[in-house]
Amino acid sequence: TCSSSSTPNFSVPSAEKVDGFPRRSMRRARQRRSHSSSQFRYQSSQVELTPLPLLKDAPVAELHDLFCKKLQQCCVLFDFLDCVADLKGKEIKRAALNELVESVATSRGVLIEPLYPEAIKMISVNIFRTLPPSENPEFDPEEDEPTLEASWPHLQLVYEFFLRFLESPDFQPSMAKRYVDQKFVLQLLELFDSEDPREREYLKTILHRVYGKLLGLRAYIRKQINNIFLRFIYETEHFNGVAELLEILGSIINGFALPLKAEHKQFLVRVLIPLHTAKSLSIFHAQLAYCVVQFMEKDATVTEYIIRGLLKYWPKTCTQKEVMFLGEIEEILDVIEPSQFIRVQEPLFKQIAACISSPHFQVAERALYFWNNEYILSLIEENCQVILPLVFATLYRVSKEHWNQTIVSLIYNVLKTFMEMNSKLFDDLTASYKVEKQKELKRDRERADLWRGLEEHQDRRMQMLTEAARNQRNLQERGERGDPPSPSSPQTSHSDQPELKPSGASSSSSGGGESAT
Amino acid sequence: CCCCNEVGCKPGADGDDSLYPIAVLIDELRNEDVQLRLNSIKKLSTIALALGVERTRTELLPFLTDTIYDEDEVLLALAEQLGNFTMLVGGPEYVHCLLPPLESLATVEETVVRDKAVESLRKISQEHSPVDLEVHFEPLVKRLASGDWFTSRTSACGLFSVCYPRVSSTVKAEIRQHFRTLCSDDTPMVRRAAASKLGEFAKVLELDYVKSDIISLFTALASDEQDSVRLLAVEACVSIATLLPQEDLESLVMPTLRQAAEDKSWRVRYMVADKFSETFVSLQISLCFNCIHSVLTIWLSDLCLLCPVSEQELVSDTNQHVKSALASVIMGLSTILGKDNTIEHLLPLFLAQLKDECPEVRLNIISNLDCVNEVIGIRQLSQSLLPAIVELAEDAKWRVRLAIIEYMPLLAGQLGVEFFDEKLNTLCMAWLIDHVYAIREAATCNLMKLVEKFGAEWAQNTIVPKVLGMANDPNYLHRMTTLFCINALSEACGQDITTKQMLPVVLKMSNDQVANVRFNVAKSLQKIGPVLDSNALQTEVKPVLEKLATDTDMDVKYFAQEAISDANVEQRLVQQAAFIFPADQTCCSLAGSQDRSEQRNTVVSITACNLMNSRIACTNPSQTVSFPNFFQPDLHAPVHSLFSAATQIEFDQTNE
């Protein structure tokens, strides 16, 4: 409804043209400036920060005390949406954070037990917050600029401190686990939804360290990641940190013990494979495919689940995703065991044939590239007897019909390869192509006939039903008038009315009528 | 009874058995091509009908239950079909046969399939007898509720409320226990599902259990570790509040609600804001039923205590989503709070929100002005209102401008004609030259509504001269706006203004150099024709239309001819109407209406209907539509479609 004129323009002087469309570029420009922040309840306005002495100047005896004071100072939060507010306080906090990072990273013996709760408290206060709603409701991670976290100047230092803290040689998991508990980890995972890629990058490294050092939390972390993925797949379809979480999982899978636990297999089949259905697959597909291949390399017996799963979720309309699926299939085939290949070749090559006949040339091309892969080619050759009949008709037809010349010439190469592999089978298939085609047409005709018959049958029955109902009514009316029911009426004897009533009709009335006869 | 059904249907079914062996049908359901498989699943009822009830039960359903692994698209179609299958398996006494396949469907991963399966299960639960419900349905719910994977437990949440009311008290106790368990489930998905069904489940529970069970579940869910669960609990609050007696609300619901209003997650606060007045309205209604004045006063004072805390908290919320949701409900509260409380507590918030930086917030406040007007009168606010309106009227987002235009007639009615002329009239005229078409169109429509409100005389003095002045604008879009305004205003302004003031301008514009303007002249003449008297039509309109019909531009020609033939048909129909007219009482009374254009439309409609009816009667006497039935629905339909239908018929008749 936003067009400037409802009718086509005739010869209108250009000066008269009115442009009613908002310019997209302008909208973009405005967005790029936007920062969002984390909805802190700023309590800082009341608190006035005063600079403390430098850590490096402190006598050893007072070092821990001063460290602790600095941690407490850093618990004060500032309003970054107002960039000129409380500049002095912001600077004091920034300097303190820098010192803390420096101290944890370089000096030994700083991390003593009483500092753990203070450090974790400081980290929690700063990083844990409910993420703001996206500024742009139709945010497209591929197209749009992300909204950046306004308080990043402080937040980055807090993350840096956390990371150094975890990586410090003095770090004692046994002490940390009292404070870095399940609740803490859950909040950490929620932050992966941040729109700011810088924040997700830190979170990724930090979570990886937590997973590595705090063994007691591992199962819990895996379970919560599962929940996040399931919510993403089946409920919200929106979570910014899928790629980062998958990257962590990639290395976790690498470390799984063999044989694979049921829990891990379930994770593959019920979480990783369904992740392929996501609309935003392109953002995390590389990481996802890596995880999938990791699983296969761990345990070849999961191959069939994977391939059948991918075939089940094969994209129907999105060609971009289809190309990604084909890429992943190739990665899988690259490492597949021949014995596993035999188990899946039939459904797999039916799908590949379908891709070859795709009118979208990139899909067809991606599928045909499989024949350039030597390992795949060797698998095809070993199983030529099975595979060639599956793809032959498609290749033959597409070679004659496809609009794109590159595809046609690729297909010729593939056909030539097949001819060289097994010329006898190739000739047989060429000879029977027409006959098969005829058979297929016949089957289609038979199907149409069958359904026509079924529908006529349905119509007949519906008609019988209406007639039966009418007779029933007549009968009842007659009964009310006191006339004897006519025994010669043919419909009354074999009324199958209750069965044939269209659904929704009340049964009790017809049942009553039935018993009356 | 069931036996005679089976026997009764044998003669018909026998012949079909040989025609359609189950194998062939099952082959169809198993076809390799998904599309074909989907097609056959969608016609599952046809297959079932061909098989008859017994074989549907013994052969088709087991097959469907076994082969549940398929494309989600197919499963979705299956889940939907099975909800309507009761009669095809032999009626309510066999309906439990449908449970096994639906149970499997309720456990699949894909949400849409699961939801559809639950929907179908809910549907067929009503067709179970109480005994079957306990023997077959309730065990299924229990199995789902204790399933391994979260999907089945999620599905179970939606089934408790349909079987609870119809089972024995022992089973009821079990159901309550299962629901409790799911509310504290390990996975957030299940807790979300349980929280979203909490309100529904509370409604079917006995009051004592609402107090003992539901409240504790509500409190627990409202303080869940995940905000997605907490906000669903808040949503349930509305239905829980309606169920409880007034005296219990303060102790049972309010603490949790207060806590939610201060939740650290904006999503939860948003939900509180969104449900605010809904909750309170329900409270007030139940109060009215109680009719206890003292309780009312206590409750009101409590509400005032609550308001300053939670509402101010929310108003100063940093999140615009929360604010804008709150803005849309805050005014609804004024009717509940009464005049004094509104002025004391709400007015300051209201004024603060009118100055909010987010246009949606301001818009939501303005859109709910009628509530305030009822309670304290809009005059109190007009001074604060005006800057807000002006700013919205010039907002950079056209949708915001559009929204404020839509409230103009309402505002004008409440603020009165003087205030309007003084402050708002300029705005309304400025919209006419907005660079977005949608705004110009809305502005035109707005003028029409204003004229309806303030009368033709007001129009003549204030807006008509300005509108007509735009006919000389150098921008052709503005010149066309004049025509659009005339189209919209002519009827409301009446014959006199239209003939004397508008018509000359329209006629003059027929010489415009831009073809778009010229063919819109033709359209306008067609449009205002019914308002003009026949003399003006013949002497002034017709010659101009005839000239336009020879225009060099083909579109101008087309619309001019349209207008000419339209006028002709109308004339003829009016003549004919004299013969056919006294057909129906309703029509007569409508035709006798004082309003001239309504009268004319009625005549034309009736004539057209008559023509159509007589035509139907000629070709197929059995299908004659009885006059009033045929006529009534078309009464408000555009006369135009009737015109064209009538012309067509007339044409046919002439040919015959």
Side-chain angles (χ1 to χ4, degrees):
Chain A
T1 52
C2 165
S3 70
S4 61
S5 161
S6 58
T7 48
N9 274 329
F10 298 108
S11 53
V12 182
S14 62
E16 277 203 3
K17 280 186 186 161
V18 178
D19 180 10
F21 297 99
R23 288 201 171 56
R24 196 169 159 76
S25 56
M26 272 164 55
R27 192 173 65 87
R28 281 294 157 88
R30 198 155 41 81
Q31 265 174 17
R32 217 163 285 142
R33 275 191 283 116
S34 83
H35 281 271
S36 181
S37 136
S38 25
Q39 313 302 307
F40 291 119
R41 301 278 173 105
Y42 302 103
Q43 74 279 59
S44 62
S45 43
Q46 294 86 15
V47 190
E48 183 89 7
L49 291 191
T50 42
L52 294 165
L54 293 178
L55 280 173
K56 67 174 174 4
D57 300 339
V60 181
E62 288 165 28
L63 181 70
H64 289 126
D65 195 38
L66 185 60
F67 198 94
C68 203
K69 279 196 180 125
K70 296 222 171 205
L71 283 172
Q72 281 158 2
Q73 201 168 44
C74 291
C75 288
V76 177
L77 303 176
F78 292 92
D79 180 358
F80 273 88
L81 283 178
D82 179 357
C83 54
V84 290
D86 205 359
L87 284 174
K88 188 166 149 265
K90 284 176 184 168
E91 178 52 29
I92 292 171
K93 177 169 171 181
R94 196 192 61 80
L97 280 168
N98 264 328
E99 265 194 285
L100 289 170
V101 170
E102 168 90 18
S103 166
V104 169
T106 54
S107 36
R108 298 292 308 263
V110 184
L111 286 185
I112 56 163
E113 188 163 6
L115 288 182
Y116 279 73
E118 293 297 330
I120 296 299
K121 185 180 159 222
M122 189 279 281
I123 292 164
S124 309
V125 167
N126 277 284
I127 66 172
F128 294 152
R129 65 224 193 261
T130 310
L131 294 168
S134 183
E135 296 277 303
N136 176 3
E138 297 126 55
F139 177 68
D140 176 354
E142 279 186 297
E143 286 272 320
D144 298 325
E145 293 282 330
T147 312
L148 298 176
E149 175 57 53
S151 58
W152 190 244
H154 283 173
L155 205 55
Q156 183 198 2
L157 292 169
V158 176
Y159 276 122
E160 188 66 35
F161 171 78
F162 191 13
L163 190 59
R164 301 289 179 180
F165 174 74
L166 290 165
E167 287 174 347
S168 160
D170 292 340
F171 179 78
Q172 302 266 345
S174 55
M175 284 176 202
K177 74 178 181 198
R178 252 174 284 162
Y179 312 106
V180 182
D181 53 4
Q182 295 193 345
K183 190 159 181 279
F184 183 93
V185 167
L186 185 67
Q187 287 173 283
L188 196 67
L189 284 166
E190 291 291 331
L191 289 176
F192 274 81
D193 194 22
S194 169
E195 221 174 275
D196 193 329
R198 303 168 300 182
E199 178 167 21
R200 296 202 303 270
E201 192 60 31
Y202 265 111
L203 286 165
K204 185 180 73 186
T205 325
I206 285 168
L207 185 67
H208 204 172
R209 296 286 173 277
V210 171
Y211 191 87
K213 305 218 163 175
L214 300 168
L215 307 185
L217 285 172
R218 287 187 174 183
Y220 183 78
I221 292 175
R222 287 198 306 269
K223 196 174 82 186
Q224 293 307 328
I225 293 181
N226 268 3
N227 287 342
I228 287 177
F229 283 166
L230 290 169
R231 183 181 63 188
F232 169 72
I233 302 165
Y234 296 115
E235 293 182 9
T236 59
E237 286 190 50
H238 180 89
F239 193 83
N240 290 313
V242 177
E244 284 79 6
L245 289 176
L246 282 169
E247 215 174 312
I248 300 171
L249 284 166
S251 58
I252 292 179
I253 295 164
N254 221 336
F256 281 163
L258 281 172
L260 286 178
K261 281 197 230 164
E263 177 215 325
H264 300 323
K265 281 193 188 164
Q266 185 172 17
F267 168 64
L268 170 70
V269 177
R270 310 196 103 155
V271 182
L272 282 189
I273 301 293
L275 263 181
H276 287 84
T277 58
K279 205 159 49 181
S280 50
L281 178 69
S282 60
I283 298 158
F284 55 82
H285 182 251
Q287 289 83 352
L288 180 58
Y290 178 78
C291 287
V292 168
V293 173
Q294 285 293 307
F295 258 110
M296 265 185 62
E297 291 201 284
K298 271 271 151 194
D299 179 358
T301 59
V302 299
T303 311
E304 196 174 344
Y305 292 123
I306 293 172
I307 303 244
R308 288 194 186 272
L310 287 179
L311 293 176
K312 180 179 174 193
Y313 296 127
W314 202 272
K316 300 282 184 300
T317 52
C318 180
T319 48
Q320 191 204 359
K321 269 176 83 175
E322 230 177 326
V323 173
M324 284 186 259
F325 269 57
L326 284 165
E328 187 170 347
I329 291 283
E330 182 162 1
E331 277 182 58
I332 289 169
L333 291 180
D334 258 335
V335 295
I336 200 167
E337 284 189 8
S339 59
Q340 296 294 329
F341 179 79
I342 292 167
R343 300 167 77 107
V344 294
Q345 57 182 352
E346 203 166 324
L348 180 62
F349 275 83
K350 276 182 188 158
Q351 182 59 58
I352 290 174
C355 291
I356 290 172
S357 63
S358 166
H360 196 295
F361 80 99
Q362 282 174 336
V363 175
E365 187 180 54
R366 191 67 193 79
L368 289 163
Y369 279 163
F370 282 14
W371 274 264
N372 295 347
N373 181 315
E374 274 177 36
Y375 181 62
I376 298 178
L377 199 62
S378 73
L379 290 169
I380 294 175
E381 188 160 12
E382 276 166 44
N383 301 286
C384 192
Q385 283 291 346
V386 183
I387 292 171
L388 185 50
L390 291 173
V391 297
F392 181 80
T394 309
L395 289 171
Y396 193 89
R397 184 171 52 80
V398 178
S399 73
K400 298 209 181 317
E401 285 172 5
H402 208 282
W403 62 272
N404 184 296
Q405 276 315 303
T406 321
I407 299 302
V408 174
S409 60
L410 279 171
I411 288 189
Y412 274 125
N413 287 339
V414 171
L415 284 170
K416 208 169 118 235
T417 320
F418 273 125
M419 203 153 45
E420 285 158 10
M421 270 180 205
N422 191 339
S423 59
K424 163 119 195 358
L425 181 60
F426 193 90
D427 291 343
D428 288 351
L429 287 169
T430 319
S432 61
Y433 177 78
K434 284 239 164 67
V435 183
E436 288 297 323
K437 201 95 199 156
Q438 290 302 322
K439 273 192 198 156
E440 207 175 295
L441 283 175
K442 186 160 167 270
R443 270 200 302 276
D444 285 349
R445 267 202 307 279
E446 279 169 4
R447 171 172 309 111
D449 287 345
L450 171 71
W451 281 106
R452 202 176 312 115
L454 279 173
E455 267 148 31
E456 275 165 16
H457 172 259
Q458 184 179 19
D459 291 347
R460 243 187 354 263
R461 291 217 142 180
M462 284 302 171
Q463 215 165 352
M464 269 163 63
L465 156 83
T466 15
E467 244 167 68
R470 194 181 303 142
N471 286 325
Q472 191 87 35
R473 216 172 30 243
N474 289 345
L475 200 67
Q476 270 167 3
E477 275 168 20
R478 223 174 301 153
E480 278 158 22
R481 285 203 310 268
D483 294 345
S486 150
S488 59
S489 171
Q491 277 83 8
T492 52
S493 57
H494 85 104
S495 162
D496 41 7
Q497 185 183 354
E499 174 210 344
L500 290 170
K501 259 209 154 150
S503 55
S506 118
S507 61
S508 57
S509 65
S510 60
E514 198 69 27
S515 50
T517 60
Chain B
C1 175
C2 64
C3 303
C4 62
N5 282 347
E6 311 266 308
V7 176
C9 72
K10 264 282 145 59
D14 257 345
D16 298 329
D17 279 358
S18 48
L19 262 176
Y20 306 114
I22 182 102
V24 175
L25 300 175
I26 283 177
D27 263 359
E28 280 301 291
L29 295 172
R30 253 198 305 232
N31 197 299
E32 265 182 30
D33 186 336
V34 191
Q35 194 52 53
L36 291 176
R37 219 154 60 222
L38 192 59
N39 289 346
S40 26
I41 280 283
K42 283 186 176 159
K43 293 185 212 151
L44 201 60
S45 58
T46 310
I47 294 181
L49 207 54
L51 288 172
V53 290
E54 197 181 339
R55 296 184 61 212
T56 300
R57 288 199 300 269
T58 55
E59 295 173 53
L60 186 63
L61 288 178
F63 163 75
L64 292 173
T65 315
D66 290 342
T67 53
I68 222 79
Y69 183 87
D70 201 337
E71 295 269 345
D72 292 328
E73 191 83 28
V74 177
L75 297 184
L76 177 68
L78 179 59
E80 188 170 10
Q81 290 272 316
L82 290 179
N84 300 317
F85 243 55
T86 310
M87 284 307 151
L88 295 163
V89 292
E93 55 197 298
Y94 293 104
V95 68
H96 59 85
C97 298
L98 297 171
L99 297 178
L102 282 172
E103 182 175 352
S104 316
L105 288 168
T107 63
V108 302
E109 251 90 2
E110 180 49 53
T111 324
V112 284
V113 177
R114 238 184 308 137
D115 288 351
K116 190 53 88 179
V118 170
E119 195 186 312
S120 289
L121 279 169
R122 287 169 71 112
K123 204 166 170 185
I124 64 169
S125 73
Q126 304 305 322
E127 283 155 352
H128 280 71
S129 66
V131 177
D132 280 348
L133 205 64
E134 275 192 33
V135 177
H136 299 287
F137 197 86
E138 202 270 340
L140 168 142
V141 179
K142 271 196 245 169
R143 278 196 302 278
L144 288 174
S146 44
D148 280 342
W149 191 239
F150 80 96
T151 52
S152 66
R153 302 201 296 279
T154 312
S155 295
C157 294
L159 297 173
F160 293 119
S161 64
V162 291
C163 55
Y164 189 85
R166 297 173 58 211
V167 291
S168 67
S169 55
T170 6
V171 181
K172 278 184 176 177
E174 284 174 32
I175 292 178
R176 287 196 304 274
Q177 181 52 44
H178 277 291
F179 193 78
R180 261 201 300 278
T181 317
L182 292 182
C183 282
S184 53
D185 196 275
D186 198 28
T187 62
M189 286 77 78
V190 178
R191 293 202 303 279
R192 277 194 286 275
S196 69
K197 299 292 177 199
L198 186 66
E200 182 189 287
F201 189 56
K203 281 186 186 160
V204 299
L205 243 61
E206 297 81 357
L207 182 60
D208 282 347
Y209 292 120
V210 172
K211 284 192 202 170
S212 59
D213 285 27
I214 296 289
I215 293 299
S216 65
L217 294 175
F218 167 64
T219 318
L221 290 167
S223 40
D224 194 274
E225 58 182 14
Q226 303 240 345
D227 62 354
S228 51
V229 179
R230 295 200 296 274
L231 70 89
L232 289 168
V234 170
E235 216 177 347
C237 185
V238 180
S239 19
I240 295 174
T242 54
L243 299 170
L244 291 171
Q246 215 57 53
E247 60 269 22
D248 292 329
L249 281 170
E250 171 58 31
S251 59
L252 298 179
V253 180
M254 294 319 287
T256 316
L257 202 61
R258 280 197 197 97
Q259 175 199 325
E262 294 170 328
D263 197 281
K264 68 181 185 341
S265 163
W266 63 269
R267 291 185 189 87
V268 179
R269 300 198 302 274
Y270 173 89
M271 196 50 95
V272 176
D274 199 37
K275 298 290 169 196
F276 222 82
S277 65
E278 217 177 308
T279 318
F280 287 124
V281 166
S282 68
L283 298 181
Q284 206 216 7
I285 289 167
S286 51
L287 271 174
C288 293
F289 281 120
N290 284 348
C291 279
I292 306 167
H293 199 259
S294 57
V295 179
L296 187 78
T297 8
I298 294 166
W299 176 240
L300 262 180
S301 65
D302 179 58
L303 194 61
C304 299
L305 280 179
L306 173 78
C307 275
V309 184
S310 60
E311 288 246 337
Q312 273 169 8
E313 182 93 354
L314 289 163
V315 169
S316 56
D317 200 299
T318 42
N319 185 292
Q320 67 163 35
H321 285 67
V322 180
K323 275 195 294 191
S324 107
L326 182 63
S328 65
V329 298
I330 192 171
M331 298 330 298
L333 283 177
S334 58
T335 44
I336 302 167
L337 286 172
K339 184 171 178 174
D340 293 342
N341 281 318
T342 304
I343 294 177
E344 190 182 340
H345 297 293
L346 288 179
L347 205 56
L349 308 177
F350 177 77
L351 294 175
Q353 291 199 316
L354 270 180
K355 296 194 189 86
D356 198 279
E357 60 187 25
C358 165
E360 276 82 18
V361 175
R362 281 175 273 149
L363 207 55
N364 277 337
I365 282 290
I366 290 178
S367 64
N368 286 295
L369 271 179
D370 45 342
C371 311
V372 200
N373 193 29
E374 273 167 35
V375 183
I376 56 170
I378 211 164
R379 284 278 169 181
Q380 288 247 14
L381 295 171
S382 54
Q383 286 316 312
S384 346
L385 213 50
L386 192 66
I389 295 173
V390 172
E391 206 173 313
L392 286 169
E394 288 158 2
D395 195 279
K397 290 188 190 136
W398 68 268
R399 282 177 208 281
V400 174
R401 297 201 296 275
L402 185 64
I404 190 77
I405 294 176
E406 277 159 10
Y407 293 115
M408 262 307 147
L410 180 80
L411 285 171
Q414 289 173 352
L415 294 166
V417 66
E418 288 148 46
F419 186 89
F420 182 87
D421 279 347
E422 195 182 322
K423 315 278 187 191
L424 300 176
N425 196 12
T426 2
L427 283 181
C428 289
M429 299 317 289
W431 282 319
L432 287 175
I433 51 170
D434 196 282
H435 65 278
V436 174
Y437 177 74
I439 300 294
R440 297 198 298 275
E441 194 185 26
T444 315
C445 182
N446 173 43
L447 286 185
M448 182 179 81
K449 288 187 188 142
L450 290 174
V451 175
E452 278 166 5
K453 233 178 198 107
F454 295 150
E457 198 184 329
W458 173 82
Q460 191 171 10
N461 295 330
T462 51
I463 58 171
V464 171
K466 288 184 193 167
V467 165
L468 296 180
M470 281 164 61
N472 301 319
D473 197 285
N475 188 325
Y476 84 102
L477 290 173
H478 298 171
R479 298 202 294 278
M480 292 212 305
T481 307
T482 301
L483 291 171
F484 298 148
C485 288
I486 289 173
N487 294 349
L489 296 177
S490 63
E491 206 163 293
C493 287
Q495 199 184 58
D496 196 47
I497 299 177
T498 310
T499 318
K500 290 195 180 131
Q501 299 189 14
M502 296 176 173
L503 185 62
V505 176
V506 179
L507 295 175
K508 199 177 135 224
M509 288 169 85
S510 67
N511 299 317
D512 199 286
Q513 56 172 1
V514 178
N516 297 38
V517 178
R518 292 201 301 279
F519 75 65
N520 273 297
V521 166
K523 279 170 148 182
S524 286
L525 289 174
Q526 182 176 2
K527 181 94 190 174
I528 64 173
V531 187
L532 300 169
D533 63 53
S534 54
N535 184 33
L537 266 177
Q538 288 301 322
T539 58
E540 300 183 64
V541 176
K542 228 172 177 185
V544 171
L545 280 176
E546 274 158 7
K547 196 188 90 196
L548 287 173
T550 59
D551 199 279
T552 48
D553 187 279
M554 58 180 281
D555 292 291
V556 179
K557 256 195 242 176
Y558 172 79
F559 285 108
Q561 276 156 2
E562 280 276 284
I564 292 169
S565 63
D566 202 25
N568 289 342
V569 170
E570 191 192 355
Q571 255 176 1
R572 246 178 307 150
L573 286 178
V574 174
Q575 284 161 8
Q576 287 183 8
F579 300 102
I580 324 170
F581 186 59
D584 184 274
Q585 283 294 331
T586 346
C587 308
C588 289
S589 66
L590 274 167
S593 154
Q594 290 302 307
D595 187 308
R596 202 168 155 271
S597 66
E598 192 183 339
Q599 202 177 5
R600 189 191 298 261
N601 288 352
T602 315
V603 172
V604 172
S605 314
I606 291 169
T607 316
C609 294
N610 266 334
L611 282 171
M612 277 185 231
N613 248 357
S614 61
R615 171 142 177 83
I616 293 166
C618 294
T619 51
N620 191 348
S622 67
Q623 282 180 10
T624 319
V625 186
S626 74
F627 190 87
N629 285 347
F630 186 77
F631 178 67
Q632 291 298 348
D634 280 316
L635 196 55
H636 301 290
V639 184
H640 260 90
S641 59
L642 283 166
F643 266 151
S644 53
T647 346
Q648 182 60 38
I649 290 159
E650 236 189 350
F651 175 74
D652 288 352
Q653 276 176 340
T654 336
N655 282 358
E656 277 161 23

